[in-house]
Amino acid sequence: GENVEQHPSTLSVQEGDSAVIKCTYSDSASNYFPWYKQELGKRPQLIIDIRSNVGEKKDQRIAVTLNKTAKHFSLHITETQPEDSAVYFCAASPTGNQFYFGTGTSLTVIP
Amino acid sequence: SQTIHQWPATLVQPVGSPLSLECTVEGTSNPNLYWYRQAAGRGLQLLFYSIGIGQISSEVPQNLSASRPQDRQFILSSKKLLLSDSGFYLCAWTPGTDTQYFGPGTRLTVL
């Protein structure tokens, strides 16, 4: 089955700096890659996603890039703010029915 | 619009007691439904998923079971809880377009 690895597990940045979280996947059939943000005690919320026919997608301060050849994708957050502090999960889906999650990155934005 | 409900929100149960968690989705038909468990400070572990009434796929052997008695209802059960069953249980659904949405979760503590 699919295996998703996520790095780093923790990340601290100064407010206003950029943050990058990276994920790799193993199954070349994976074609959908969502990113979720989970605040403490809350449910994961979808923040951005990308499909395999696209190399990059941007939504305001958040962007995701995908390299199918290398089987990795990354989340980029620019101009970080304290409210960006949360745990971020990447995921990969080879079938549309099953989703395989990374182990999460705890992001802290220091004011 | 679609809404996903879970109850109860929190639950404290003794070891060896039974468990029943319920998830329902409104505003859609024939959704794919999922149960995940998240241990404290950890990632998301897929427990079960269902693509239709009575169709359940299990990802991890355990003392839990799932049922889907109705199109938009997904139930997670156990006959005898273990200490290791403690965690945050999340139900999720997809409308068939890959994007997965999570319910508010049930926080289970087994004592």
Side-chain angles (χ1 to χ4, degrees):
Chain A
E2 174 65 278
N3 181 47
V4 178
E5 296 189 356
Q6 183 172 345
H7 301 280
S9 57
T10 60
L11 179 61
S12 291
V13 300
Q14 291 292 135
E15 182 177 358
D17 288 349
S18 296
V20 180
I21 302 170
K22 299 181 179 181
C23 290
T24 61
Y25 62 99
S26 61
D27 189 343
S28 58
S30 287
N31 55 17
Y32 176 65
F33 307 91
W35 284 89
Y36 290 85
K37 174 184 180 182
Q38 187 178 28
E39 297 177 348
L40 191 62
K42 302 284 184 64
R43 76 183 87 182
Q45 298 270 20
L46 180 73
I47 55 172
I48 196 167
D49 56 10
I50 192 168
R51 300 182 191 278
S52 59
N53 59 346
V54 176
E56 183 174 358
K57 184 177 179 181
K58 190 174 181 180
D59 182 4
Q60 299 183 339
R61 297 186 296 107
I62 295 174
V64 57
T65 58
L66 171 65
N67 183 325
K68 287 194 300 181
T69 303
K71 295 196 187 73
H72 67 70
F73 56 112
S74 300
L75 177 71
H76 304 254
I77 306 174
T78 59
E79 301 173 17
T80 53
Q81 301 168 3
E83 51 265 38
D84 294 328
S85 295
V87 178
Y88 292 80
F89 292 97
C90 63
S93 179
T95 65
N97 289 331
Q98 290 176 277
F99 295 78
Y100 298 87
F101 283 82
T103 50
T105 296
S106 178
L107 173 65
T108 301
V109 179
I110 304 166
Chain B
S1 64
Q2 299 87 4
T3 307
I4 181 168
H5 302 280
Q6 283 187 248
W7 62 90
T10 60
L11 190 60
V12 179
Q13 292 285 96
V15 170
S17 63
L19 174 72
S20 181
L21 303 181
E22 189 165 343
C23 170
T24 59
V25 182
E26 294 178 355
T28 186
S29 59
N30 198 30
N32 291 345
L33 296 171
Y34 305 80
W35 279 112
Y36 291 89
R37 177 169 61 200
Q38 188 175 33
R42 304 292 295 276
L44 296 160
Q45 179 188 29
L46 177 63
L47 301 175
F48 302 95
Y49 74 95
S50 171
I51 61 172
I53 295 175
Q55 301 179 66
I56 309 293
S57 296
S58 175
E59 288 293 300
V60 181
Q62 59 226 320
N63 69 323
L64 299 171
S65 62
S67 62
R68 186 169 176 174
Q70 300 180 43
D71 181 44
R72 289 170 288 177
Q73 183 185 31
F74 205 21
I75 296 172
L76 182 69
S77 303
S78 174
K79 293 181 179 178
K80 288 186 177 182
L81 284 169
L82 307 173
L83 285 173
S84 58
D85 291 324
S86 293
F88 192 38
Y89 287 81
L90 289 155
C91 181
W93 75 282
T94 65
T97 57
D98 298 332
T99 304
Q100 190 171 65
Y101 300 96
F102 287 88
T106 294
R107 191 161 303 281
L108 171 66
T109 303
V110 182
L111 301 175

